[in-house]
Amino acid sequence: MAENEGEGGAAAEGAEAAPAKKGKLKLIIAVVGFLTLVGGGVGAYLFLMKGHGDEKHAEAAPSTKPPAFVEVPEMLVNLVGLPGERVQYLKVRIVLEVKEEKLAEAIKPTMPRVTDIFQTYMRELRAGDLNGSAGLFRLKEELTRRVNLAVAPNQVNAVLFKEIVIQ
């Protein structure tokens, strides 16, 4: 009988352990489900209510002025080549981008100086210097640097190409 009790006692423990494991599993699933619902609710609230407070901030923020543009006269320069090669020309129409209209008006009197600086630089270029987008990017960056030196203390944001032809 003692053997039966021992077996019965082990069976009783096994019966209690199985429901205990099921109870813990149910508890874990319930906690995970609850956290998922809460997280989803918070995420939905933040997503849906995100734009409602921005109207006050938009009214308080100062309106940004659109940039102003200054036309540079069209330029046609010959490019440097090796002796015996055919002469190649570069035709460029450029626009300078500045922050506001009053800077554009301040730059206009210095336009002869800007044109001179651009032409003297571009006359030293070779056709190979302008190959691909990397060549045009380098040209744009160098022209921006040079125009900022010419119009200092005013500042030009960018040099923009309206037209560029190599012939």
Side-chain angles (χ1 to χ4, degrees), residues 14-69:
E16 290 175 10
K21 287 183 180 178
K22 279 188 176 182
K24 285 184 179 180
L25 182 63
K26 286 182 181 179
L27 179 64
I28 291 172
I29 290 173
V31 167
V32 168
F34 176 74
L35 291 176
T36 303
L37 286 174
V38 169
V42 169
Y45 174 78
L46 292 175
F47 179 74
L48 295 174
M49 296 302 185
K50 182 178 179 181
H52 291 296
D54 292 341
E55 290 122 14
K56 293 177 186 175
H57 296 293
E59 293 171 5
S63 61
T64 58
K65 295 179 182 177
F69 299 98

Side-chain angles (χ1 to χ4, degrees), residues 71-87:
E71 292 273 340
V72 177
E74 182 177 296
M75 288 181 261
L76 180 65
V77 296
N78 57 330
L79 298 174
V80 174
L82 296 174
E85 285 185 345
R86 71 179 180 94
V87 178

Side-chain angles (χ1 to χ4, degrees), residues 48-122:
L48 295 174
M49 296 302 185
K50 182 178 179 181
H52 291 296
D54 292 341
E55 290 122 14
K56 293 177 186 175
H57 296 293
E59 293 171 5
S63 61
T64 58
K65 295 179 182 177
F69 299 98
V70 180
E71 292 273 340
V72 177
E74 182 177 296
M75 288 181 261
L76 180 65
V77 296
N78 57 330
L79 298 174
V80 174
L82 296 174
E85 285 185 345
R86 71 179 180 94
V87 178
Q88 289 186 307
Y89 295 97
L90 172 65
K91 178 182 175 184
V92 180
R93 288 181 49 207
I94 296 174
V95 175
L96 306 176
E97 179 184 336
V98 294
K99 287 185 181 180
E100 49 192 35
E101 190 64 36
K102 69 179 182 180
L103 283 176
E105 295 302 322
I107 289 175
K108 284 181 182 177
T110 62
M111 198 52 61
R113 182 180 305 138
V114 171
T115 304
D116 177 60
I117 288 173
F118 283 180
Q119 283 197 6
T120 55
Y121 173 70
M122 288 190 289

